[in-house]
Amino acid sequence: MLQPGATVLIPSGPPNDLQKKHLHVVVARHSRPPVQILMVSVSSIGAQKYDDTTVLDADEHPFLRHRSYIKYQVARVESETAIERGIQSGLFALREELGEGVLRRIRAGFRSSQFAKPFARNFLDDSDP
């Protein structure tokens, strides 16, 4: 069972490079069948423009090596079963959980980021307590 705060490495590179993975955070969960989770990607801050709503320092999660940001525009709802199958197959990799304070900041960012989509805000509002 993937609870909010769980983190998963998911392939995000081109189809010919499934080894390139980004950290994704489980932000919210609906337990009524079929169980679904709201996930959001974490990306390193580079020279490109980025959404500065929620910035994470490298020491806020063991996987992070650089200052990073939450990419609210690519938040997605997934079947919990599909993500668990990806973990069991080895295609995805479960990582350490986020601290409660960091998760709270990410969740709050859905309210203030201009890039957060309405479906994601609605999922968050309707998620399990």
Side-chain angles (χ1 to χ4, degrees), residues 34 56 58 62 89 120 124:
L56 304 179
S89 74
L124 194 59

Side-chain angles (χ1 to χ4, degrees), residues 51-79:
D51 179 357
D52 64 357
T53 302
T54 306
V55 173
L56 304 179
D57 290 321
D59 64 353
E60 293 190 86
H61 188 273
F63 180 77
L64 300 179
R65 301 288 177 253
H66 310 282
R67 287 187 78 216
S68 301
Y69 69 103
I70 300 302
K71 229 173 158 177
Y72 290 102
Q73 68 267 33
V74 296
R76 62 194 208 205
V77 174
E78 295 286 348
S79 155

Side-chain angles (χ1 to χ4, degrees), residues 29-37 77-81 123 126 128:
R29 181 176 193 276
H30 284 191
S31 60
R32 23 181 216 284
V35 178
Q36 295 182 311
I37 55 177
V77 174
E78 295 286 348
S79 155
E80 181 181 63
T81 301
F123 188 99
D126 196 33
D128 296 346

Side-chain angles (χ1 to χ4, degrees), residues 7 28 41 52:
T7 63
S41 177
D52 64 357

Side-chain angles (χ1 to χ4, degrees), residues 2-115:
L2 294 167
Q3 293 295 329
T7 63
V8 182
L9 288 177
I10 297 177
S12 55
N16 63 339
D17 184 9
L18 294 180
Q19 296 307 311
K20 183 173 175 141
K21 298 177 180 177
H22 273 93
L23 191 68
H24 288 71
V25 177
V26 175
V27 179
R29 181 176 193 276
H30 284 191
S31 60
R32 23 181 216 284
V35 178
Q36 295 182 311
I37 55 177
L38 175 65
M39 301 183 82
V40 68
S41 177
V42 181
S43 290
S44 296
I45 294 174
Q48 82 283 6
K49 286 187 174 185
Y50 65 93
D51 179 357
D52 64 357
T53 302
T54 306
V55 173
L56 304 179
D57 290 321
D59 64 353
E60 293 190 86
H61 188 273
F63 180 77
L64 300 179
R65 301 288 177 253
H66 310 282
R67 287 187 78 216
S68 301
Y69 69 103
I70 300 302
K71 229 173 158 177
Y72 290 102
Q73 68 267 33
V74 296
R76 62 194 208 205
V77 174
E78 295 286 348
S79 155
E80 181 181 63
T81 301
I83 299 300
E84 288 174 340
R85 280 188 195 133
I87 293 167
Q88 291 167 356
S89 74
L91 183 60
F92 302 166
L94 193 59
R95 302 304 269 189
E96 297 84 358
E97 286 190 21
L98 281 178
E100 186 61 36
V102 177
L103 179 60
R104 241 188 329 273
R105 286 177 28 225
I106 293 170
R107 289 173 66 106
F110 276 95
R111 302 276 168 256
S112 53
S113 174
Q114 65 179 348
F115 300 102

